[in-house]
Amino acid sequence: MKKHVFIVFLISVFSCSSNPETFVSHLDGYWEIDEVIQGNGNKLDYNFNDTIDYIEVTDSLSGFRSKLKPNLMGTFETSKDKELFNIKIENDSLNIYYKTPYAEWKETILDANETQLVIVNNTNKDVYIYKRYEPLDLNLESK
């Protein structure tokens, strides 16, 4: 029960803290999952990610998200699969509606700024906390 109360508290704090329209300008770019708070209250920390999410939003509040795999050359490998979405502001929330050939689902942006993105999946209630992706610095020379 305490875990459910914590999740509801987390959602209410983030949803009341900002104007959801301001989140849209921060969505574009490369994001990696930092941690996930599952709907059952369990917390998963991601110390290393072998994939990152690239999000692109158009002026018409539509866009896509794709999974990328960084490589040692500083570029990305991708399957070229894209999850298309539409963004809607509803009831003081910024909602993303995804549609792929395999599924449709809704996520709500709880917070978005230059360094962090917080999203809740409306089906399983998992909260995804992303941080901006920063490429690994493989320069082994000492400074």
Side-chain angles (χ1 to χ4, degrees), residues 1-142:
M1 179 68 179
K2 290 180 184 179
K3 293 175 184 178
H4 294 295
V5 171
F6 174 73
I7 291 172
V8 169
F9 173 75
L10 183 68
I11 290 170
S12 64
V13 166
F14 279 115
S15 64
C16 296
S17 63
S18 297
N19 179 353
E21 290 181 34
T22 63
F23 299 161
V24 176
S25 64
H26 299 292
L27 296 179
D28 278 345
Y30 300 90
W31 294 96
E32 65 179 314
I33 295 175
D34 191 28
E35 63 183 86
V36 176
I37 302 170
Q38 296 177 315
N40 63 11
N42 291 335
K43 182 179 170 185
L44 305 172
D45 289 319
Y46 286 76
N47 297 322
F48 174 78
N49 293 300
D50 63 344
T51 62
I52 61 170
D53 288 357
Y54 174 72
I55 299 173
E56 187 173 308
V57 179
T58 67
D59 290 340
S60 63
L61 295 181
S62 62
F64 68 90
R65 176 171 68 183
S66 60
K67 294 285 185 187
L68 304 175
K69 190 171 192 168
N71 63 35
L72 296 176
M73 302 304 290
T75 59
F76 302 98
E77 297 172 20
T78 180
S79 66
K80 302 204 188 314
D81 290 333
K82 294 180 180 179
E83 298 170 341
L84 301 177
F85 62 74
N86 289 303
I87 297 174
K88 295 180 183 179
I89 297 173
E90 303 168 313
N91 301 322
D92 295 327
S93 295
L94 185 65
N95 296 312
I96 299 180
Y97 291 88
Y98 288 92
K99 185 173 184 177
T100 71
Y102 311 105
E104 294 182 26
W105 69 98
K106 174 183 167 186
E107 295 179 341
T108 301
I109 306 295
L110 301 179
D111 193 24
N113 57 51
E114 286 297 318
T115 59
Q116 189 177 58
L117 174 61
V118 182
I119 298 174
V120 63
N121 179 297
N122 291 59
T123 303
N124 59 21
K125 305 302 182 205
D126 290 350
V127 177
Y128 296 85
I129 302 170
Y130 290 84
K131 62 183 177 183
R132 282 275 179 203
Y133 171 73
E134 294 184 25
L136 292 174
D137 183 6
L138 298 177
N139 185 0
L140 300 177
E141 296 177 23
S142 59

